[in-house]
PDB file of all heavy atoms in Angstrom:
ATOM      1  N   PHE A   7       0.833  -1.200   0.000  1.00 91.00           N
ATOM      2  CA  PHE A   7      -0.001   0.001   0.001  1.00 91.00           C
ATOM      3  C   PHE A   7       0.868   1.248  -0.001  1.00 91.00           C
ATOM      4  O   PHE A   7       1.950   1.256   0.576  1.00 91.00           O
ATOM      5  CB  PHE A   7      -0.877   0.055   1.265  1.00 91.00           C
ATOM      6  CG  PHE A   7      -1.799  -1.105   1.419  1.00 91.00           C
ATOM      7  CD1 PHE A   7      -1.440  -2.202   2.166  1.00 91.00           C
ATOM      8  CD2 PHE A   7      -3.046  -1.099   0.817  1.00 91.00           C
ATOM      9  CE1 PHE A   7      -2.287  -3.280   2.324  1.00 91.00           C
ATOM     10  CE2 PHE A   7      -3.900  -2.162   0.958  1.00 91.00           C
ATOM     11  CZ  PHE A   7      -3.525  -3.259   1.713  1.00 91.00           C
ATOM     12  N   ILE A   8       0.373   2.294  -0.621  1.00 94.00           N
ATOM     13  CA  ILE A   8       0.909   3.642  -0.480  1.00 94.00           C
ATOM     14  C   ILE A   8      -0.284   4.495  -0.071  1.00 94.00           C
ATOM     15  O   ILE A   8      -1.326   4.461  -0.727  1.00 94.00           O
ATOM     16  CB  ILE A   8       1.487   4.180  -1.810  1.00 94.00           C
ATOM     17  CG1 ILE A   8       2.667   3.331  -2.270  1.00 94.00           C
ATOM     18  CG2 ILE A   8       1.896   5.644  -1.652  1.00 94.00           C
ATOM     19  CD1 ILE A   8       3.174   3.699  -3.663  1.00 94.00           C
ATOM     20  N   PHE A   9      -0.143   5.228   1.032  1.00 96.00           N
ATOM     21  CA  PHE A   9      -1.253   6.085   1.463  1.00 96.00           C
ATOM     22  C   PHE A   9      -0.719   7.283   2.227  1.00 96.00           C
ATOM     23  O   PHE A   9       0.409   7.273   2.710  1.00 96.00           O
ATOM     24  CB  PHE A   9      -2.258   5.300   2.312  1.00 96.00           C
ATOM     25  CG  PHE A   9      -1.690   4.697   3.570  1.00 96.00           C
ATOM     26  CD1 PHE A   9      -1.734   5.388   4.769  1.00 96.00           C
ATOM     27  CD2 PHE A   9      -1.125   3.431   3.554  1.00 96.00           C
ATOM     28  CE1 PHE A   9      -1.221   4.825   5.932  1.00 96.00           C
ATOM     29  CE2 PHE A   9      -0.616   2.859   4.705  1.00 96.00           C
ATOM     30  CZ  PHE A   9      -0.661   3.558   5.898  1.00 96.00           C
ATOM     31  N   ASN A  10      -1.535   8.343   2.299  1.00 96.00           N
ATOM     32  CA  ASN A  10      -1.148   9.503   3.097  1.00 96.00           C
ATOM     33  C   ASN A  10      -1.687   9.339   4.506  1.00 96.00           C
ATOM     34  O   ASN A  10      -2.821   8.943   4.712  1.00 96.00           O
ATOM     35  CB  ASN A  10      -1.607  10.815   2.445  1.00 96.00           C
ATOM     36  CG  ASN A  10      -3.101  10.947   2.301  1.00 96.00           C
ATOM     37  OD1 ASN A  10      -3.782   9.989   1.937  1.00 96.00           O
ATOM     38  ND2 ASN A  10      -3.625  12.130   2.565  1.00 96.00           N
ATOM     39  N   ASN A  11      -0.836   9.625   5.486  1.00 95.00           N
ATOM     40  CA  ASN A  11      -1.172   9.451   6.888  1.00 95.00           C
ATOM     41  C   ASN A  11      -1.721  10.733   7.501  1.00 95.00           C
ATOM     42  O   ASN A  11      -2.382  10.686   8.521  1.00 95.00           O
ATOM     43  CB  ASN A  11       0.062   8.977   7.657  1.00 95.00           C
ATOM     44  CG  ASN A  11      -0.287   8.101   8.820  1.00 95.00           C
ATOM     45  OD1 ASN A  11      -1.369   7.548   8.886  1.00 95.00           O
ATOM     46  ND2 ASN A  11       0.639   7.971   9.745  1.00 95.00           N
ATOM     47  N   SER A  12      -1.423  11.870   6.884  1.00 96.00           N
ATOM     48  CA  SER A  12      -1.934  13.165   7.329  1.00 96.00           C
ATOM     49  C   SER A  12      -2.925  13.675   6.289  1.00 96.00           C
ATOM     50  O   SER A  12      -2.732  13.479   5.097  1.00 96.00           O
ATOM     51  CB  SER A  12      -0.789  14.173   7.454  1.00 96.00           C
ATOM     52  OG  SER A  12       0.145  13.745   8.408  1.00 96.00           O
ATOM     53  N   ALA A  13      -3.954  14.352   6.774  1.00 97.00           N
ATOM     54  CA  ALA A  13      -4.992  14.845   5.866  1.00 97.00           C
ATOM     55  C   ALA A  13      -4.413  15.849   4.876  1.00 97.00           C
ATOM     56  O   ALA A  13      -3.577  16.666   5.241  1.00 97.00           O
ATOM     57  CB  ALA A  13      -6.109  15.509   6.653  1.00 97.00           C
ATOM     58  N   TRP A  14      -4.854  15.763   3.621  1.00 96.00           N
ATOM     59  CA  TRP A  14      -4.510  16.768   2.625  1.00 96.00           C
ATOM     60  C   TRP A  14      -5.132  18.078   3.107  1.00 96.00           C
ATOM     61  O   TRP A  14      -6.224  18.059   3.675  1.00 96.00           O
ATOM     62  CB  TRP A  14      -5.093  16.320   1.279  1.00 96.00           C
ATOM     63  CG  TRP A  14      -4.311  16.787   0.109  1.00 96.00           C
ATOM     64  CD1 TRP A  14      -4.677  17.762  -0.774  1.00 96.00           C
ATOM     65  CD2 TRP A  14      -3.037  16.322  -0.324  1.00 96.00           C
ATOM     66  NE1 TRP A  14      -3.704  17.926  -1.724  1.00 96.00           N
ATOM     67  CE2 TRP A  14      -2.676  17.045  -1.461  1.00 96.00           C
ATOM     68  CE3 TRP A  14      -2.153  15.355   0.157  1.00 96.00           C
ATOM     69  CZ2 TRP A  14      -1.493  16.860  -2.144  1.00 96.00           C
ATOM     70  CZ3 TRP A  14      -0.967  15.161  -0.519  1.00 96.00           C
ATOM     71  CH2 TRP A  14      -0.642  15.903  -1.651  1.00 96.00           C
ATOM     72  N   PRO A  15      -4.481  19.227   2.914  1.00 95.00           N
ATOM     73  CA  PRO A  15      -4.998  20.491   3.456  1.00 95.00           C
ATOM     74  C   PRO A  15      -6.421  20.831   3.010  1.00 95.00           C
ATOM     75  O   PRO A  15      -7.180  21.430   3.762  1.00 95.00           O
ATOM     76  CB  PRO A  15      -4.016  21.539   2.935  1.00 95.00           C
ATOM     77  CG  PRO A  15      -2.793  20.786   2.535  1.00 95.00           C
ATOM     78  CD  PRO A  15      -3.219  19.391   2.215  1.00 95.00           C
ATOM     79  N   SER A  16      -6.767  20.475   1.789  1.00 96.00           N
ATOM     80  CA  SER A  16      -8.132  20.660   1.293  1.00 96.00           C
ATOM     81  C   SER A  16      -8.511  19.376   0.571  1.00 96.00           C
ATOM     82  O   SER A  16      -7.693  18.482   0.424  1.00 96.00           O
ATOM     83  CB  SER A  16      -8.209  21.863   0.358  1.00 96.00           C
ATOM     84  OG  SER A  16      -7.322  21.700  -0.722  1.00 96.00           O
ATOM     85  N   ASN A  17      -9.745  19.287   0.119  1.00 97.00           N
ATOM     86  CA  ASN A  17     -10.159  18.074  -0.585  1.00 97.00           C
ATOM     87  C   ASN A  17      -9.273  17.834  -1.803  1.00 97.00           C
ATOM     88  O   ASN A  17      -8.889  18.778  -2.495  1.00 97.00           O
ATOM     89  CB  ASN A  17     -11.612  18.172  -1.034  1.00 97.00           C
ATOM     90  CG  ASN A  17     -12.581  17.982   0.108  1.00 97.00           C
ATOM     91  OD1 ASN A  17     -12.246  17.382   1.127  1.00 97.00           O
ATOM     92  ND2 ASN A  17     -13.777  18.505  -0.043  1.00 97.00           N
ATOM     93  N   ILE A  18      -8.960  16.579  -2.058  1.00 98.00           N
ATOM     94  CA  ILE A  18      -8.153  16.206  -3.220  1.00 98.00           C
ATOM     95  C   ILE A  18      -9.059  16.280  -4.453  1.00 98.00           C
ATOM     96  O   ILE A  18     -10.142  15.698  -4.463  1.00 98.00           O
ATOM     97  CB  ILE A  18      -7.575  14.791  -3.052  1.00 98.00           C
ATOM     98  CG1 ILE A  18      -6.682  14.721  -1.818  1.00 98.00           C
ATOM     99  CG2 ILE A  18      -6.801  14.380  -4.299  1.00 98.00           C
ATOM    100  CD1 ILE A  18      -6.267  13.300  -1.423  1.00 98.00           C
ATOM    101  N   ASN A  19      -8.613  16.990  -5.476  1.00 98.00           N
ATOM    102  CA  ASN A  19      -9.400  17.127  -6.708  1.00 98.00           C
ATOM    103  C   ASN A  19      -9.039  16.095  -7.753  1.00 98.00           C
ATOM    104  O   ASN A  19      -9.885  15.655  -8.523  1.00 98.00           O
ATOM    105  CB  ASN A  19      -9.222  18.527  -7.306  1.00 98.00           C
ATOM    106  CG  ASN A  19      -9.939  19.561  -6.500  1.00 98.00           C
ATOM    107  OD1 ASN A  19     -11.090  19.389  -6.160  1.00 98.00           O
ATOM    108  ND2 ASN A  19      -9.255  20.643  -6.175  1.00 98.00           N
ATOM    109  N   LYS A  20      -7.752  15.723  -7.799  1.00 98.00           N
ATOM    110  CA  LYS A  20      -7.305  14.813  -8.855  1.00 98.00           C
ATOM    111  C   LYS A  20      -6.027  14.108  -8.408  1.00 98.00           C
ATOM    112  O   LYS A  20      -5.172  14.707  -7.774  1.00 98.00           O
ATOM    113  CB  LYS A  20      -7.043  15.613 -10.134  1.00 98.00           C
ATOM    114  CG  LYS A  20      -6.531  14.796 -11.299  1.00 98.00           C
ATOM    115  CD  LYS A  20      -6.499  15.578 -12.616  1.00 98.00           C
ATOM    116  CE  LYS A  20      -5.512  16.686 -12.627  1.00 98.00           C
ATOM    117  NZ  LYS A  20      -5.315  17.302 -13.964  1.00 98.00           N
ATOM    118  N   ILE A  21      -5.925  12.841  -8.770  1.00 98.00           N
ATOM    119  CA  ILE A  21      -4.685  12.081  -8.596  1.00 98.00           C
ATOM    120  C   ILE A  21      -4.326  11.522  -9.967  1.00 98.00           C
ATOM    121  O   ILE A  21      -5.155  10.900 -10.634  1.00 98.00           O
ATOM    122  CB  ILE A  21      -4.828  10.940  -7.578  1.00 98.00           C
ATOM    123  CG1 ILE A  21      -5.092  11.515  -6.177  1.00 98.00           C
ATOM    124  CG2 ILE A  21      -3.575  10.057  -7.565  1.00 98.00           C
ATOM    125  CD1 ILE A  21      -5.309  10.465  -5.103  1.00 98.00           C
ATOM    126  N   THR A  22      -3.087  11.771 -10.378  1.00 98.00           N
ATOM    127  CA  THR A  22      -2.582  11.228 -11.634  1.00 98.00           C
ATOM    128  C   THR A  22      -1.442  10.291 -11.306  1.00 98.00           C
ATOM    129  O   THR A  22      -0.507  10.663 -10.585  1.00 98.00           O
ATOM    130  CB  THR A  22      -2.069  12.352 -12.562  1.00 98.00           C
ATOM    131  OG1 THR A  22      -3.141  13.273 -12.793  1.00 98.00           O
ATOM    132  CG2 THR A  22      -1.574  11.796 -13.890  1.00 98.00           C
ATOM    133  N   ILE A  23      -1.511   9.070 -11.809  1.00 97.00           N
ATOM    134  CA  ILE A  23      -0.468   8.074 -11.578  1.00 97.00           C
ATOM    135  C   ILE A  23       0.119   7.690 -12.929  1.00 97.00           C
ATOM    136  O   ILE A  23      -0.611   7.346 -13.859  1.00 97.00           O
ATOM    137  CB  ILE A  23      -1.020   6.829 -10.853  1.00 97.00           C
ATOM    138  CG1 ILE A  23      -1.633   7.244  -9.503  1.00 97.00           C
ATOM    139  CG2 ILE A  23       0.085   5.788 -10.654  1.00 97.00           C
ATOM    140  CD1 ILE A  23      -2.278   6.126  -8.742  1.00 97.00           C
ATOM    141  N   VAL A  24       1.453   7.782 -13.033  1.00 96.00           N
ATOM    142  CA  VAL A  24       2.165   7.397 -14.248  1.00 96.00           C
ATOM    143  C   VAL A  24       2.899   6.107 -13.948  1.00 96.00           C
ATOM    144  O   VAL A  24       3.653   6.008 -12.984  1.00 96.00           O
ATOM    145  CB  VAL A  24       3.165   8.499 -14.681  1.00 96.00           C
ATOM    146  CG1 VAL A  24       3.912   8.080 -15.938  1.00 96.00           C
ATOM    147  CG2 VAL A  24       2.442   9.825 -14.894  1.00 96.00           C
ATOM    148  N   LEU A  25       2.638   5.087 -14.763  1.00 93.00           N
ATOM    149  CA  LEU A  25       3.232   3.767 -14.580  1.00 93.00           C
ATOM    150  C   LEU A  25       4.026   3.413 -15.831  1.00 93.00           C
ATOM    151  O   LEU A  25       3.602   3.732 -16.933  1.00 93.00           O
ATOM    152  CB  LEU A  25       2.145   2.719 -14.341  1.00 93.00           C
ATOM    153  CG  LEU A  25       1.195   3.052 -13.191  1.00 93.00           C
ATOM    154  CD1 LEU A  25      -0.150   3.452 -13.714  1.00 93.00           C
ATOM    155  CD2 LEU A  25       1.101   1.920 -12.231  1.00 93.00           C
ATOM    156  N   LYS A  26       5.164   2.749 -15.650  1.00 88.00           N
ATOM    157  CA  LYS A  26       5.987   2.339 -16.785  1.00 88.00           C
ATOM    158  C   LYS A  26       6.191   0.827 -16.750  1.00 88.00           C
ATOM    159  O   LYS A  26       6.478   0.261 -15.707  1.00 88.00           O
ATOM    160  CB  LYS A  26       7.368   3.000 -16.725  1.00 88.00           C
ATOM    161  CG  LYS A  26       7.413   4.406 -17.215  1.00 88.00           C
ATOM    162  CD  LYS A  26       8.847   4.897 -17.248  1.00 88.00           C
ATOM    163  CE  LYS A  26       8.980   6.160 -18.027  1.00 88.00           C
ATOM    164  NZ  LYS A  26      10.372   6.627 -18.074  1.00 88.00           N
ATOM    165  N   VAL A  27       6.051   0.218 -17.919  1.00 84.00           N
ATOM    166  CA  VAL A  27       6.241  -1.218 -18.062  1.00 84.00           C
ATOM    167  C   VAL A  27       7.226  -1.447 -19.199  1.00 84.00           C
ATOM    168  O   VAL A  27       7.065  -0.884 -20.290  1.00 84.00           O
ATOM    169  CB  VAL A  27       4.898  -1.916 -18.380  1.00 84.00           C
ATOM    170  CG1 VAL A  27       5.096  -3.397 -18.579  1.00 84.00           C
ATOM    171  CG2 VAL A  27       3.895  -1.652 -17.283  1.00 84.00           C
ATOM    172  N   LYS A  28       8.244  -2.260 -18.968  1.00 80.00           N
ATOM    173  CA  LYS A  28       9.209  -2.578 -20.016  1.00 80.00           C
ATOM    174  C   LYS A  28       8.528  -3.494 -21.024  1.00 80.00           C
ATOM    175  O   LYS A  28       8.123  -4.593 -20.710  1.00 80.00           O
ATOM    176  CB  LYS A  28      10.452  -3.235 -19.432  1.00 80.00           C
ATOM    177  CG  LYS A  28      11.575  -3.378 -20.434  1.00 80.00           C
ATOM    178  CD  LYS A  28      12.900  -3.514 -19.717  1.00 80.00           C
ATOM    179  CE  LYS A  28      14.041  -3.620 -20.659  1.00 80.00           C
ATOM    180  NZ  LYS A  28      14.362  -2.395 -21.356  1.00 80.00           N
ATOM    181  N   VAL A  29       8.395  -3.031 -22.253  1.00 77.00           N
ATOM    182  CA  VAL A  29       7.613  -3.730 -23.280  1.00 77.00           C
ATOM    183  C   VAL A  29       8.178  -5.112 -23.594  1.00 77.00           C
ATOM    184  O   VAL A  29       7.437  -6.061 -23.794  1.00 77.00           O
ATOM    185  CB  VAL A  29       7.527  -2.874 -24.561  1.00 77.00           C
ATOM    186  CG1 VAL A  29       6.838  -3.631 -25.676  1.00 77.00           C
ATOM    187  CG2 VAL A  29       6.776  -1.575 -24.271  1.00 77.00           C
ATOM    188  N   ALA A  30       9.471  -5.270 -23.578  1.00 67.00           N
ATOM    189  CA  ALA A  30      10.075  -6.562 -23.930  1.00 67.00           C
ATOM    190  C   ALA A  30       9.736  -7.643 -22.906  1.00 67.00           C
ATOM    191  O   ALA A  30       9.751  -8.829 -23.216  1.00 67.00           O
ATOM    192  CB  ALA A  30      11.592  -6.422 -24.036  1.00 67.00           C
ATOM    193  N   GLN A  31       9.424  -7.268 -21.670  1.00 63.00           N
ATOM    194  CA  GLN A  31       9.179  -8.247 -20.617  1.00 63.00           C
ATOM    195  C   GLN A  31       7.707  -8.573 -20.409  1.00 63.00           C
ATOM    196  O   GLN A  31       7.357  -9.683 -20.088  1.00 63.00           O
ATOM    197  CB  GLN A  31       9.795  -7.770 -19.301  1.00 63.00           C
ATOM    198  CG  GLN A  31      11.309  -7.698 -19.375  1.00 63.00           C
ATOM    199  CD  GLN A  31      11.919  -7.113 -18.112  1.00 63.00           C
ATOM    200  OE1 GLN A  31      11.234  -6.561 -17.266  1.00 63.00           O
ATOM    201  NE2 GLN A  31      13.213  -7.237 -18.009  1.00 63.00           N
ATOM    202  N   THR A  32       6.841  -7.584 -20.566  1.00 63.00           N
ATOM    203  CA  THR A  32       5.427  -7.805 -20.308  1.00 63.00           C
ATOM    204  C   THR A  32       4.586  -6.750 -21.021  1.00 63.00           C
ATOM    205  O   THR A  32       5.073  -5.667 -21.297  1.00 63.00           O
ATOM    206  CB  THR A  32       5.134  -7.778 -18.788  1.00 63.00           C
ATOM    207  OG1 THR A  32       3.741  -8.065 -18.602  1.00 63.00           O
ATOM    208  CG2 THR A  32       5.465  -6.441 -18.171  1.00 63.00           C
ATOM    209  N   MET A  33       3.360  -7.069 -21.302  1.00 62.00           N
ATOM    210  CA  MET A  33       2.440  -6.125 -21.939  1.00 62.00           C
ATOM    211  C   MET A  33       1.148  -6.015 -21.131  1.00 62.00           C
ATOM    212  O   MET A  33       0.073  -5.872 -21.678  1.00 62.00           O
ATOM    213  CB  MET A  33       2.128  -6.572 -23.367  1.00 62.00           C
ATOM    214  CG  MET A  33       3.312  -6.531 -24.299  1.00 62.00           C
ATOM    215  SD  MET A  33       3.945  -4.873 -24.562  1.00 62.00           S
ATOM    216  CE  MET A  33       2.686  -4.226 -25.620  1.00 62.00           C
ATOM    217  N   TYR A  34       1.252  -6.099 -19.803  1.00 70.00           N
ATOM    218  CA  TYR A  34       0.058  -6.095 -18.980  1.00 70.00           C
ATOM    219  C   TYR A  34      -0.480  -4.682 -18.790  1.00 70.00           C
ATOM    220  O   TYR A  34       0.258  -3.697 -18.881  1.00 70.00           O
ATOM    221  CB  TYR A  34       0.360  -6.713 -17.618  1.00 70.00           C
ATOM    222  CG  TYR A  34       1.017  -5.744 -16.659  1.00 70.00           C
ATOM    223  CD1 TYR A  34       0.261  -5.125 -15.669  1.00 70.00           C
ATOM    224  CD2 TYR A  34       2.364  -5.430 -16.745  1.00 70.00           C
ATOM    225  CE1 TYR A  34       0.843  -4.221 -14.800  1.00 70.00           C
ATOM    226  CE2 TYR A  34       2.949  -4.538 -15.880  1.00 70.00           C
ATOM    227  CZ  TYR A  34       2.190  -3.934 -14.907  1.00 70.00           C
ATOM    228  OH  TYR A  34       2.767  -3.034 -14.059  1.00 70.00           O
ATOM    229  N   ASP A  35      -1.753  -4.557 -18.511  1.00 78.00           N
ATOM    230  CA  ASP A  35      -2.321  -3.301 -18.057  1.00 78.00           C
ATOM    231  C   ASP A  35      -2.175  -3.275 -16.538  1.00 78.00           C
ATOM    232  O   ASP A  35      -2.418  -4.294 -15.883  1.00 78.00           O
ATOM    233  CB  ASP A  35      -3.804  -3.210 -18.417  1.00 78.00           C
ATOM    234  CG  ASP A  35      -4.023  -2.977 -19.897  1.00 78.00           C
ATOM    235  OD1 ASP A  35      -3.115  -2.411 -20.543  1.00 78.00           O
ATOM    236  OD2 ASP A  35      -5.085  -3.358 -20.398  1.00 78.00           O
ATOM    237  N   PRO A  36      -1.785  -2.148 -15.946  1.00 84.00           N
ATOM    238  CA  PRO A  36      -1.621  -2.092 -14.502  1.00 84.00           C
ATOM    239  C   PRO A  36      -2.907  -2.482 -13.789  1.00 84.00           C
ATOM    240  O   PRO A  36      -3.998  -2.082 -14.202  1.00 84.00           O
ATOM    241  CB  PRO A  36      -1.283  -0.621 -14.243  1.00 84.00           C
ATOM    242  CG  PRO A  36      -0.724  -0.131 -15.535  1.00 84.00           C
ATOM    243  CD  PRO A  36      -1.454  -0.887 -16.598  1.00 84.00           C
ATOM    244  N   ALA A  37      -2.771  -3.260 -12.737  1.00 86.00           N
ATOM    245  CA  ALA A  37      -3.924  -3.737 -11.975  1.00 86.00           C
ATOM    246  C   ALA A  37      -3.708  -3.408 -10.502  1.00 86.00           C
ATOM    247  O   ALA A  37      -2.818  -3.952  -9.859  1.00 86.00           O
ATOM    248  CB  ALA A  37      -4.101  -5.238 -12.173  1.00 86.00           C
ATOM    249  N   TYR A  38      -4.499  -2.482 -10.005  1.00 92.00           N
ATOM    250  CA  TYR A  38      -4.432  -2.069  -8.604  1.00 92.00           C
ATOM    251  C   TYR A  38      -5.741  -1.362  -8.285  1.00 92.00           C
ATOM    252  O   TYR A  38      -6.599  -1.200  -9.154  1.00 92.00           O
ATOM    253  CB  TYR A  38      -3.241  -1.121  -8.365  1.00 92.00           C
ATOM    254  CG  TYR A  38      -3.318   0.177  -9.119  1.00 92.00           C
ATOM    255  CD1 TYR A  38      -3.789   1.327  -8.510  1.00 92.00           C
ATOM    256  CD2 TYR A  38      -2.957   0.253 -10.462  1.00 92.00           C
ATOM    257  CE1 TYR A  38      -3.883   2.528  -9.216  1.00 92.00           C
ATOM    258  CE2 TYR A  38      -3.043   1.434 -11.171  1.00 92.00           C
ATOM    259  CZ  TYR A  38      -3.506   2.569 -10.542  1.00 92.00           C
ATOM    260  OH  TYR A  38      -3.598   3.747 -11.241  1.00 92.00           O
ATOM    261  N   THR A  39      -5.909  -0.935  -7.039  1.00 95.00           N
ATOM    262  CA  THR A  39      -7.121  -0.219  -6.650  1.00 95.00           C
ATOM    263  C   THR A  39      -6.728   1.073  -5.944  1.00 95.00           C
ATOM    264  O   THR A  39      -5.843   1.070  -5.101  1.00 95.00           O
ATOM    265  CB  THR A  39      -7.981  -1.080  -5.706  1.00 95.00           C
ATOM    266  OG1 THR A  39      -8.240  -2.344  -6.314  1.00 95.00           O
ATOM    267  CG2 THR A  39      -9.304  -0.401  -5.396  1.00 95.00           C
ATOM    268  N   LEU A  40      -7.385   2.177  -6.291  1.00 97.00           N
ATOM    269  CA  LEU A  40      -7.215   3.439  -5.582  1.00 97.00           C
ATOM    270  C   LEU A  40      -8.472   3.682  -4.762  1.00 97.00           C
ATOM    271  O   LEU A  40      -9.580   3.664  -5.301  1.00 97.00           O
ATOM    272  CB  LEU A  40      -6.999   4.611  -6.543  1.00 97.00           C
ATOM    273  CG  LEU A  40      -6.809   5.928  -5.792  1.00 97.00           C
ATOM    274  CD1 LEU A  40      -5.352   6.351  -5.820  1.00 97.00           C
ATOM    275  CD2 LEU A  40      -7.690   7.011  -6.341  1.00 97.00           C
ATOM    276  N   TYR A  41      -8.280   3.851  -3.450  1.00 98.00           N
ATOM    277  CA  TYR A  41      -9.386   4.145  -2.536  1.00 98.00           C
ATOM    278  C   TYR A  41      -9.247   5.573  -2.032  1.00 98.00           C
ATOM    279  O   TYR A  41      -8.130   6.079  -1.884  1.00 98.00           O
ATOM    280  CB  TYR A  41      -9.345   3.214  -1.323  1.00 98.00           C
ATOM    281  CG  TYR A  41      -9.488   1.753  -1.637  1.00 98.00           C
ATOM    282  CD1 TYR A  41      -8.378   0.918  -1.652  1.00 98.00           C
ATOM    283  CD2 TYR A  41     -10.735   1.197  -1.889  1.00 98.00           C
ATOM    284  CE1 TYR A  41      -8.505  -0.435  -1.921  1.00 98.00           C
ATOM    285  CE2 TYR A  41     -10.863  -0.156  -2.165  1.00 98.00           C
ATOM    286  CZ  TYR A  41      -9.750  -0.967  -2.171  1.00 98.00           C
ATOM    287  OH  TYR A  41      -9.872  -2.305  -2.436  1.00 98.00           O
ATOM    288  N   VAL A  42     -10.371   6.232  -1.730  1.00 98.00           N
ATOM    289  CA  VAL A  42     -10.355   7.578  -1.169  1.00 98.00           C
ATOM    290  C   VAL A  42     -11.309   7.647   0.015  1.00 98.00           C
ATOM    291  O   VAL A  42     -12.212   6.812   0.143  1.00 98.00           O
ATOM    292  CB  VAL A  42     -10.749   8.643  -2.217  1.00 98.00           C
ATOM    293  CG1 VAL A  42      -9.736   8.688  -3.340  1.00 98.00           C
ATOM    294  CG2 VAL A  42     -12.143   8.417  -2.755  1.00 98.00           C
ATOM    295  N   GLY A  43     -11.070   8.646   0.887  1.00 97.00           N
ATOM    296  CA  GLY A  43     -11.957   8.801   2.035  1.00 97.00           C
ATOM    297  C   GLY A  43     -11.591   9.976   2.902  1.00 97.00           C
ATOM    298  O   GLY A  43     -10.718  10.773   2.573  1.00 97.00           O
ATOM    299  N   GLN A  44     -12.235  10.054   4.053  1.00 97.00           N
ATOM    300  CA  GLN A  44     -12.030  11.139   5.019  1.00 97.00           C
ATOM    301  C   GLN A  44     -11.168  10.710   6.202  1.00 97.00           C
ATOM    302  O   GLN A  44     -10.932  11.507   7.106  1.00 97.00           O
ATOM    303  CB  GLN A  44     -13.388  11.640   5.524  1.00 97.00           C
ATOM    304  CG  GLN A  44     -14.121  12.520   4.539  1.00 97.00           C
ATOM    305  CD  GLN A  44     -13.411  13.842   4.321  1.00 97.00           C
ATOM    306  OE1 GLN A  44     -12.997  14.500   5.264  1.00 97.00           O
ATOM    307  NE2 GLN A  44     -13.239  14.238   3.071  1.00 97.00           N
ATOM    308  N   GLU A  45     -10.704   9.460   6.212  1.00 97.00           N
ATOM    309  CA  GLU A  45      -9.829   8.970   7.283  1.00 97.00           C
ATOM    310  C   GLU A  45      -8.609   8.316   6.660  1.00 97.00           C
ATOM    311  O   GLU A  45      -8.659   7.808   5.537  1.00 97.00           O
ATOM    312  CB  GLU A  45     -10.578   7.975   8.165  1.00 97.00           C
ATOM    313  CG  GLU A  45     -11.746   8.612   8.898  1.00 97.00           C
ATOM    314  CD  GLU A  45     -12.453   7.636   9.825  1.00 97.00           C
ATOM    315  OE1 GLU A  45     -11.873   6.580  10.145  1.00 97.00           O
ATOM    316  OE2 GLU A  45     -13.594   7.944  10.218  1.00 97.00           O
ATOM    317  N   ALA A  46      -7.512   8.307   7.413  1.00 96.00           N
ATOM    318  CA  ALA A  46      -6.249   7.755   6.906  1.00 96.00           C
ATOM    319  C   ALA A  46      -6.394   6.298   6.489  1.00 96.00           C
ATOM    320  O   ALA A  46      -7.089   5.522   7.137  1.00 96.00           O
ATOM    321  CB  ALA A  46      -5.156   7.890   7.962  1.00 96.00           C
ATOM    322  N   HIS A  47      -5.729   5.939   5.389  1.00 96.00           N
ATOM    323  CA  HIS A  47      -5.659   4.582   4.839  1.00 96.00           C
ATOM    324  C   HIS A  47      -7.041   4.015   4.495  1.00 96.00           C
ATOM    325  O   HIS A  47      -7.425   2.933   4.938  1.00 96.00           O
ATOM    326  CB  HIS A  47      -4.924   3.670   5.816  1.00 96.00           C
ATOM    327  CG  HIS A  47      -4.471   2.372   5.214  1.00 96.00           C
ATOM    328  ND1 HIS A  47      -4.314   2.139   3.863  1.00 96.00           N
ATOM    329  CD2 HIS A  47      -4.130   1.205   5.811  1.00 96.00           C
ATOM    330  CE1 HIS A  47      -3.903   0.910   3.668  1.00 96.00           C
ATOM    331  NE2 HIS A  47      -3.775   0.330   4.838  1.00 96.00           N
TER     332      HIS A  47
END
């Protein structure tokens, strides 16, 4: 997991995640889950 432990100063408007995959080794689409809320983690 990666998460913020302290509240963002204001509501989060957008999260952009850039992922890189070495083409010669795999051609998968990234598979993970992003959760949001009003409490840590």
